[in-house]
Amino acid sequence: MFKYRRLFIDFDSFYASIEQQDNQEYRNKPVIVVPCISDYTCAIAASYEAKRLGVKTGTRVKTAKEKIPSLFVCEARPKRYVEIHNQIVEILGKHFSKIQVLSIDEMACEIDEEDDFDCEMIAANLKLDFMDLLGEYITCSVGVAQNVFLSKVAADMNKPNGFTALGENAQDELEHLELTDLPGIADKMEARLNRSKIKSIEDLYSIDELKLKKAWGSIIGQRWWHMIRGSLACDYGLSNNEIPKSFGHTHVLPPAKRDDSGSLEVFEALLYKALERLNKHRIGAKRVSIYLSWRNTETKKKGTYKKASPLALHSLDYTYWTVIALELWKQLPPLDLKSIPLIVGIRFTRTIKQEDMNLQLFDLNFEPKFEAKNTYEVPDRISFGDPGRLFEE
């Protein structure tokens, strides 16, 4: 049995580093990348110069500017990032026969048995290729281990532009980390594990498989028991034929759309875009929720209105959901004269695969009472998690 099976590549501040590579003015300066230019959105990426000064992914633009007056705020260019991503995959194809693309800036590669003892040299050659073809400001951190999960953890241990190998004594090398340093354990999960007396990496390794399942609250705990021990059968990034729990979009309204008619126009565009995704992935939903965030220009008070439909038959039908969503929009409380809309959002939940739906919409004899028109084009955006999260307390 050989020591290393997977090599994980994680690009450092990917979007921000691309902007620094493409624009000399941004180099070695604090930069954040945002979905759109507005003080009321947040950073989807931050350069290491910005991170050192306390600004990170998720920081509100207004807060970031207060922390770093000289901050560069750059609007995201998704097509450019995809272009660089494709170049990266092409480079990896010259070094590895099997590549698993996990996200736009994360890839796992299978290590051939004859290369087991040359991983550090392979990583060094990869970085040279990236530098030659992409530029010196687009760097990556590399980890190698027995499976994808451990190699991802290894890549995170020495950022930016580092290399870490976790061998047969991976447990000993991980015990100095916090639970939240492991991908998949955030504050809420840490608190749940703490209630089961799992407060350290050592505790995580010492608990038996069934108790870990109970502590986790699902079969995922059993998968973790195997995953942290280097299993390839239960590993990070493996598909279990699961589907997303929700589909949706949010959009910070441009100044010209911060009124009743403008916010409705953008909302309809988000609705149709979300429905396109449902149909593309052949997924039905049982509920739609809509959001409208606002601010009083005089008192500066902020708030969010949310409306959710009752649970209904699973559907991905444009007509069905458009009528329901627009009716919810009509039910939103009117804004007073001193308040303006800032953000709109929509989210479809309780999803199911189309082939598992029992009743199709044409069986309902549902008659539309609207004409669908998409008059606002929503710009391409980088996906940034659950759209409802921006509005929830």
Side-chain angles (χ1 to χ4, degrees):
M1 179 178 179
F2 52 103
K3 196 174 181 180
Y4 304 116
R5 302 292 299 273
R6 296 292 184 269
L7 180 145
F8 192 93
I9 299 169
D10 182 3
F11 279 82
D12 305 317
S13 297
F14 188 56
Y15 307 146
S17 66
I18 291 175
E19 298 301 338
Q20 288 179 317
Q21 181 61 46
D22 289 354
N23 191 327
Q24 292 187 12
E25 187 181 8
Y26 297 161
R27 295 179 181 178
N28 304 312
K29 302 290 178 60
V31 177
I32 59 171
V33 178
V34 297
C36 60
I37 300 299
S38 168
D39 282 352
Y40 300 98
T41 185
C42 58
I44 59 173
S47 68
Y48 275 88
E49 294 83 2
K51 290 177 179 178
R52 294 187 194 105
L53 296 172
V55 172
K56 58 184 180 180
T57 300
T59 302
R60 289 279 179 182
V61 174
K62 186 176 181 180
T63 303
K65 288 179 176 179
E66 290 170 354
K67 288 185 175 183
I68 313 174
S70 61
L71 182 71
F72 287 98
V73 180
C74 179
E75 187 168 9
R77 298 182 296 154
K79 291 181 180 178
R80 176 59 174 157
Y81 308 150
V82 172
E83 179 184 338
I84 296 294
H85 165 83
N86 291 336
Q87 292 178 31
I88 290 166
V89 174
E90 185 177 348
I91 294 169
L92 291 176
K94 298 176 181 178
H95 292 265
F96 301 96
S97 57
K98 293 184 179 180
I99 303 164
Q100 182 183 4
V101 176
L102 295 163
S103 71
I104 194 168
D105 63 342
E106 293 182 324
M107 302 88 186
C109 306
E110 185 172 329
I111 300 171
D112 292 335
E113 187 170 357
E114 58 268 24
D115 293 329
D116 187 28
F117 299 101
D118 298 320
C119 292
E120 190 166 4
M121 183 62 70
I122 292 171
N125 286 329
L126 268 177
K127 291 186 178 190
L128 285 175
D129 281 358
F130 291 145
M131 184 183 296
D132 289 343
L133 295 173
L134 306 178
E136 62 179 303
Y137 285 86
I138 302 175
T139 63
C140 65
S141 297
V142 177
V144 294
Q146 293 178 356
N147 66 358
V148 176
F149 175 78
L150 291 175
S151 60
K152 176 176 171 60
V153 174
D156 285 340
M157 291 171 68
N158 188 16
K159 291 179 72 72
N161 203 23
F163 172 85
T164 303
L166 290 177
E168 296 169 350
N169 298 319
Q171 178 180 343
D172 294 337
E173 297 176 70
L174 295 179
E175 285 186 353
H176 71 280
L177 299 178
E178 302 292 332
L179 285 173
T180 51
D181 290 328
L182 301 182
I185 300 182
D187 292 343
K188 289 184 179 179
M189 180 53 67
E190 182 186 33
R192 177 183 290 182
L193 295 176
N194 287 172
R195 290 194 291 271
S196 297
K197 298 182 179 179
I198 303 172
K199 299 183 178 181
S200 66
I201 302 291
E202 183 179 3
D203 294 337
L204 189 65
Y205 272 95
S206 63
I207 193 169
D208 68 47
E209 184 177 345
L210 292 179
K211 287 182 179 178
L212 189 56
K213 176 186 176 183
K214 184 177 180 181
W216 218 277
S218 75
I219 196 172
I220 294 175
Q222 282 182 287
R223 294 187 62 207
W224 265 74
W225 191 92
H226 294 278
M227 195 164 62
I228 61 178
R229 288 167 171 80
S231 169
L232 287 169
C234 296
D235 200 2
Y236 181 88
L238 289 182
S239 171
N240 293 320
N241 297 317
E242 295 176 350
I243 61 174
K245 293 181 180 179
S246 67
F247 277 84
H249 296 281
T250 61
H251 192 61
V252 176
L253 297 173
K257 301 295 180 182
R258 292 178 182 175
D259 53 30
D260 290 343
S261 61
S263 58
L264 173 59
E265 186 179 335
V266 175
F267 171 75
E268 288 180 332
L270 296 182
L271 168 63
Y272 302 145
K273 189 170 184 179
L275 285 169
E276 283 177 6
R277 291 180 63 205
L278 283 178
N279 280 267
K280 177 181 177 181
H281 295 281
R282 299 173 62 82
I283 289 174
K286 292 190 73 170
R287 170 175 284 161
V288 62
S289 301
I290 70 171
Y291 307 86
L292 174 68
S293 275
W294 51 270
R295 184 183 77 235
N296 187 296
T297 56
E298 193 171 81
T299 65
K300 306 303 179 185
K301 180 182 177 182
K302 295 185 291 185
T304 297
Y305 295 141
K306 174 184 176 181
K307 289 287 182 180
S309 68
L311 290 176
L313 290 168
H314 280 109
S315 174
L316 45 73
D317 186 80
Y318 280 85
T319 298
Y320 181 75
W321 282 122
T322 301
V323 170
I324 291 175
L326 291 178
E327 183 59 35
L328 289 176
W329 183 267
K330 292 178 184 177
Q331 296 173 19
L332 291 174
L335 299 181
D336 61 46
L337 294 177
K338 297 293 183 179
S339 296
I340 58 171
L342 290 178
I343 308 174
V344 295
I346 187 165
R347 177 169 47 161
F348 289 95
T349 53
R350 301 293 186 96
T351 54
I352 189 174
K353 295 179 182 178
Q354 186 180 33
E355 56 264 32
D356 295 331
M357 292 164 55
N358 294 322
L359 186 63
Q360 298 297 324
L361 259 294
F362 53 75
D363 295 323
L364 298 179
N365 192 28
F366 186 85
E367 295 294 334
K369 296 180 181 180
F370 76 101
E371 181 181 357
K373 292 181 180 180
N374 191 0
T375 57
Y376 181 82
E377 184 176 353
V378 180
D380 289 333
R381 296 290 181 227
I382 299 298
S383 177
F384 193 51
D386 186 343
R389 184 176 63 174
L390 286 177
F391 302 98
E392 293 166 353
E393 296 296 333

